[in-house]
Amino acid sequence: MVEFDEQLRCLVAQACGHPPGSPQRQKLLTQIIRLTSRKLWRENTSYYQDALQQTWLYFCRNVCEGLTGQKYDPTYGSVITWLNAYLKRRLQDFYLNQNKEQATTVSLRVRQSKSGDSSEVIDPVENLAAAPESPPILDELETWVNTDSSGELRSTHIKGRPDVNCQVLILKRLPPEVSWKELSEQFGLPIPTLSSFYQRQCLPRLRKFAETEGLI
């Protein structure tokens, strides 16, 4: 394991020696991702792939320059330790969000007005603090999804439901993500149906774009 950690440190040093976005850096970062992916923390949860996706984006933006977080410092531990710490924090965020959603059984509460003949809809989301500014990489992804120049994302949809396509789902799942529970209620489809379609059809297209652009 010590030799493996040292190998990763050398690859990181080599990658960071090349300019951001260069083919040389992209190739080395991809190599590091392939080597580390087998060693990362794993768990069988519906949101694991989303957390992992965020972890790879974080890695690419912060391993050399520290664009959206603290730059990787090899003196504090191995690449695996650094990535696992971030991945576990994201998983905890997803877990807490899921629990919070279950606690407020329905996201919209209906309160009868005093007159009794009309109801007022209260949305707890309106009371939450504004989300922090999104990192540049998310802006790039969002632009790509919205543009969908080939039309592939819009045309890739759940059978019989053109409104539930990869363009819509990827936008919904980019941070700050809409929960599967909310999406299930919105589209009237079971969570496993949505999640499975997203992982089989949408994530591979998202990864392909990220790899092409040198984001992962």
Side-chain angles (χ1 to χ4, degrees):
M1 188 67 181
V2 175
E3 288 180 8
F4 179 72
D5 289 342
E6 191 54 43
Q7 180 191 0
L8 289 180
R9 280 197 184 94
C10 288
L11 287 171
V12 166
Q14 288 175 44
C16 296
H18 295 289
S22 65
Q24 297 94 329
R25 181 187 282 197
Q26 182 182 337
K27 186 178 177 182
L28 287 162
L29 290 181
T30 303
Q31 189 179 346
I32 296 167
I33 287 171
R34 284 181 183 145
L35 286 170
T36 55
S37 60
R38 295 190 299 271
K39 305 278 186 181
L40 287 188
W41 172 266
R42 292 187 178 276
E43 61 180 57
N44 187 23
T45 52
S46 60
Y47 44 77
Y48 179 80
Q49 287 299 325
D50 287 344
L52 185 62
Q53 177 187 316
Q54 288 189 21
T55 302
W56 292 134
L57 294 176
Y58 178 81
F59 164 75
C60 292
R61 302 303 279 178
N62 298 289
V63 67
C64 296
E65 280 84 28
L67 297 176
T68 61
Q70 192 169 358
K71 178 184 170 183
Y72 169 64
D73 184 350
T75 60
Y76 285 109
S78 68
V79 174
I80 302 291
T81 304
W82 178 58
L83 289 176
N84 271 337
Y86 183 84
L87 175 59
K88 287 177 182 179
R89 285 200 301 275
R90 295 291 71 76
L91 288 167
Q92 187 178 35
D93 289 345
F94 280 115
Y95 173 76
L96 291 172
N97 283 337
Q98 194 177 65
N99 276 12
K100 190 163 62 179
E101 284 152 15
Q102 288 168 353
T104 49
T105 322
V106 189
S107 62
L108 292 176
R109 291 181 298 138
V110 178
R111 186 178 65 197
Q112 282 297 114
S113 66
K114 287 178 184 177
S115 63
D117 31 60
S118 64
S119 59
E120 181 188 354
V121 178
I122 313 293
D123 186 354
V125 176
E126 290 176 1
N127 300 323
L128 297 178
E133 193 175 336
S134 61
I137 192 167
L138 292 178
D139 293 338
E140 292 175 42
L141 288 174
E142 196 170 335
T143 301
W144 167 70
V145 180
N146 276 317
T147 306
D148 188 24
S149 53
S150 67
E152 183 182 1
L153 298 178
R154 282 190 298 274
S155 62
T156 307
H157 58 80
I158 290 178
K159 190 175 181 181
R161 292 294 302 269
D163 58 318
V164 189
N165 55 54
C166 282
Q167 184 186 46
V168 169
L169 289 179
I170 291 174
L171 286 173
K172 295 280 190 185
R173 295 301 293 171
L174 285 178
E177 62 286 323
V178 177
S179 73
W180 289 119
K181 182 172 177 289
E182 287 177 84
L183 292 175
S184 172
E185 291 171 357
Q186 181 181 338
F187 295 120
L189 292 168
I191 291 175
T193 301
L194 290 168
S195 177
S196 172
F197 173 78
Y198 181 77
Q199 289 181 31
R200 283 184 299 104
Q201 299 291 344
C202 307
L203 269 184
R205 287 172 169 83
L206 181 59
R207 286 198 195 101
K208 185 180 176 184
F209 167 76
E211 286 171 2
T212 304
E213 295 298 308
L215 304 177
I216 65 170

